[in-house]
Amino acid sequence: GAVVSQHPSWVICKSGTSVKIECRSLDFQATTMFWYRQFPKQSLMLMATSNEGSKATYEQGVEKDKFLINHASLTLSTLTVTSAHPEDSSFYICSARDHSGANVLTFGAGSRLTVL
Amino acid sequence: GEDVEQSLFLSVREGDSSVINCTYTDSSSTYLYWYKQEPGAGLQLLTYIFSNMDMKQDQRLTVLLNKKDKHLSLRIADTQTGDSAIYFCAESYSGGGADGLTFGKGTHLIIQP
C-alpha cells in the first residue's frame, strides 16, 4: 500500500534556529500533501496544503512566513519552521492522498519538535 | 462548521470487545474512516466505509454505519494490549477541509489486564 515517510522523527533545537522536516511519498506521486500540527491529547490541526510546483495554501491563523512549505517534486514536500520558539514545540504530521479512489489519506509517522 | 464527535476515553478488559462510537453531522458524507494512532506515531488507516454501506468487517474489526442517525462505530473483537491507542473517526464530504476530511478529537482506548 501507499507509504509516506517523514524525517526526522524527532528534533531538538535552540530557540531562534530553523528546522526542516521532510515528507516523502515512497511508492506513489503526490501533487498535494498536507501538513498538520498536533498538540498533546488533541486532534490534528490542518496547517497548510502543499501543492507541487506552486505556492502552499495556508489555513486561517497559520503564519506562512513562520512555516515555510516547499513542494519541489511529486514525491517530496518540506516544512521549515523558521526562527523557532518554544511555543512551536509540537508534533508535526504530513499526509498525502493515494489513488485508491476512496479519498484515503496516508500519514507520515510524525516529527516531534522540541525548541529549547 | 461540520462536527465529528467521539468520547475521549474508553476502558475495556483484555479479551473483551471494544466499541468506539462516533457521530457526525453532514449527511452528504461520502466515506467514513477509522484511523489508529499509537503513542508518538502518525495515523494509521484501519478501515473505511462507503456511505451507502451499513457494515464492513475485516478480521477483528467491524464497522457499523447508521446513516439515518449519522452514527458510526468501530468494534474490536478480543481486544489485546496492542490495541491500546487513540482512535480517530473522520468523515469525507465535499464541504470538508482542504484535505477533504473532518476528524473527531479521538478516543483513547485503555486496556485493563
Side-chain angles (χ1 to χ4, degrees):
Chain A
V3 177
V4 171
S5 172
Q6 213 173 314
H7 177 82
S9 304
W10 57 269
V11 57
I12 301 172
C13 70
K14 291 182 180 178
S15 190
T17 60
S18 294
V19 173
K20 181 185 285 187
I21 301 169
E22 292 186 348
C23 180
R24 292 181 187 273
S25 56
L26 293 189
D27 49 0
F28 65 103
Q29 294 181 333
T31 54
T32 304
M33 292 183 176
F34 304 98
W35 285 97
Y36 304 82
R37 186 172 179 176
Q38 186 179 31
F39 294 100
K41 294 182 170 45
Q42 293 193 26
S43 189
L44 283 73
M45 181 190 81
L46 179 65
M47 297 173 65
T49 303
S50 174
N51 303 298
E52 187 269 333
S54 64
K55 290 182 180 179
T57 307
Y58 291 82
E59 296 298 303
Q60 193 172 6
V62 177
E63 299 176 61
K64 60 182 179 182
D65 295 330
K66 159 69 81 174
F67 300 101
L68 298 179
I69 291 171
N70 185 276
H71 195 149
S73 78
L74 285 170
T75 59
L76 174 64
S77 174
T78 60
L79 168 70
T80 301
V81 183
T82 63
S83 186
H85 287 92
E87 58 265 29
D88 299 323
S89 298
S90 193
F91 193 55
Y92 293 88
I93 308 177
C94 69
S95 75
R97 185 163 287 119
D98 68 14
H99 303 296
S100 68
N103 201 33
V104 169
L105 287 179
T106 300
F107 287 83
S111 300
R112 170 76 58 193
L113 171 62
T114 301
V115 184
L116 302 177
Chain B
E2 301 304 330
D3 266 337
V4 176
E5 300 284 343
Q6 300 177 242
S7 299
L8 291 181
F9 294 95
L10 175 66
S11 179
V12 299
R13 283 192 291 191
E14 189 174 359
D16 288 350
S17 291
S18 306
V19 179
I20 304 171
N21 295 301
C22 168
T23 57
Y24 58 97
T25 56
D26 185 42
S27 57
S28 63
S29 294
T30 51
Y31 291 94
L32 295 121
Y33 311 84
W34 285 104
Y35 282 89
K36 176 183 181 182
Q37 185 180 32
E38 296 183 11
L43 272 68
Q44 171 198 355
L45 178 69
L46 282 180
T47 186
Y48 64 90
I49 187 168
F50 189 48
S51 58
N52 68 354
M53 297 170 64
D54 298 323
M55 185 182 93
K56 182 177 180 181
Q57 186 155 5
D58 183 4
Q59 299 182 337
R60 291 193 297 123
L61 305 179
T62 303
V63 178
L64 294 178
L65 175 60
N66 182 328
K67 199 170 179 182
K68 174 175 168 290
D69 295 338
K70 300 190 186 71
H71 183 266
L72 181 75
S73 69
L74 173 70
R75 179 178 180 268
I76 305 172
D78 186 25
T79 308
Q80 303 298 308
T81 54
D83 296 322
S84 179
I86 301 175
Y87 292 81
F88 290 95
C89 169
E91 64 167 342
S92 170
Y93 69 104
S94 59
D99 58 354
L101 297 185
T102 300
F103 285 91
K105 287 185 167 41
T107 298
H108 193 165
L109 180 61
I110 301 165
I111 315 300
Q112 300 172 20

